[in-house]
Amino acid sequence: MGKKIEQNSKNYHDAYFKQVFSKVENVKDLLQGVLPELAKNLDLNSLQLDKNSYVNKELKNEYSDLVYNCKFGEEAVKVALLFEHKSEQKEYVEFQLANYIFSIWRNNVKQKEELLPIIPILFHQSLKKPKLNAFDKLKELPEVLQKYLPIFEVELMDISKMTGKDITTIFQSAQIKFAVMAMRYIIDDPNKFFEELMQYRHIVKNLLQLQDGEDLLFTTTIYYSKKPGTDMEDIVNNFEKIEKQAGEVAKSAWEKEFEKGILKGKQEGKIE
């Protein structure tokens, strides 16, 4: 077994999600693949990443958000797409989303803008079924009370049951096929990720032909190195079996992370 990278990133799933889906083209592919009916009603060419953060300072280390603005069909109304990512089962996700929604609206008011309609989207990769039942009891209240309740629907993107065949069929770009497959299998069986890539080697070949393809592979190598118990040398060898160039990129990621670990150790006085 080879050396292991220090796994000290608590939110490595969130970090990877945000890095991949901070690119407009990737979000287009994601929406069209997982929520095609919603995507049909959106003007995807108007998608723009909202660079504001709607998470308060106390929650920044625990939660992350990703917001896009776009037009809804031919209407001039702008819609905020709020993506929230979950790599484990959480209760009362709707409450968290509600905090984001009101934070966005407060910002609209502060900027003297009209309030935006907001579509909350939950990207879920945990093997446990997502809990979206926070409002169930409230919906059973008498109709006379319903108008006082801040209840909303959540669009669910659940990749936890997707197979390699599903992923290669649903999505168009090599970037999203590769990234979604990485997120799908890292939770329960990282080895399955490489088994699937071996079967669909063309994804890696196509990825490496793209301008930022090596960057995504580099980032994914780091992502997998953060999972506790993962052996970095195994990751490099697995990529190398699939495609020699992929192995070289993974090795460069390993070397960079190993050097960072040595530097950190020196700074903390652990290495002479």
Side-chain angles (χ1 to χ4, degrees), residues 92-228:
Y92 304 113
V93 176
E94 294 95 332
F95 293 178
Q96 184 180 333
L97 290 168
N99 282 331
Y100 292 154
I101 289 170
F102 281 99
S103 182
I104 292 171
W105 282 343
R106 283 193 293 270
N107 188 68
N108 289 154
V109 172
K110 184 178 179 180
Q111 301 299 325
K112 298 182 179 180
E113 301 169 340
E114 292 186 10
L115 298 184
L116 291 174
I118 299 166
I119 301 174
I121 300 172
L122 176 65
F123 184 97
H124 180 80
Q125 71 180 107
S126 170
L127 295 180
K128 294 182 179 180
K129 188 177 181 180
K131 291 186 177 182
L132 292 172
N133 56 0
F135 298 144
D136 286 359
K137 290 294 183 182
L138 293 177
K139 292 177 181 177
E140 296 174 5
L141 291 172
E143 186 176 348
V144 67
L145 293 175
Q146 293 294 320
K147 65 179 180 179
Y148 304 113
L149 303 177
I151 294 177
F152 54 85
E153 297 296 324
V154 179
E155 292 286 359
L156 177 63
M157 291 182 164
D158 188 359
I159 68 166
S160 65
K161 301 298 187 293
M162 288 184 181
T163 64
K165 184 177 180 181
D166 293 333
I167 293 168
T168 57
T169 302
I170 291 172
F171 301 107
Q172 300 300 314
S173 68
Q175 293 101 315
I176 297 306
K177 291 177 182 179
F178 183 85
V180 171
M181 199 174 289
M183 287 185 281
R184 161 65 181 89
Y185 290 113
I186 193 172
I187 301 292
D188 61 326
D189 188 2
N191 288 326
K192 183 68 174 175
F193 171 53
F194 297 105
E195 290 174 11
E196 292 282 17
L197 284 179
M198 185 66 76
Q199 184 177 352
Y200 299 102
R201 294 174 66 176
H202 66 278
I203 294 175
V204 178
K205 289 183 178 181
N206 292 341
L207 181 69
L208 292 170
Q209 292 173 4
L210 300 173
Q211 185 174 359
D212 56 355
E214 287 193 5
D215 290 342
L216 179 57
L217 200 149
F218 188 101
T219 300
T220 304
T221 301
I222 303 299
Y223 176 41
Y224 265 63
S225 78
K226 301 296 182 183
K227 183 176 175 65

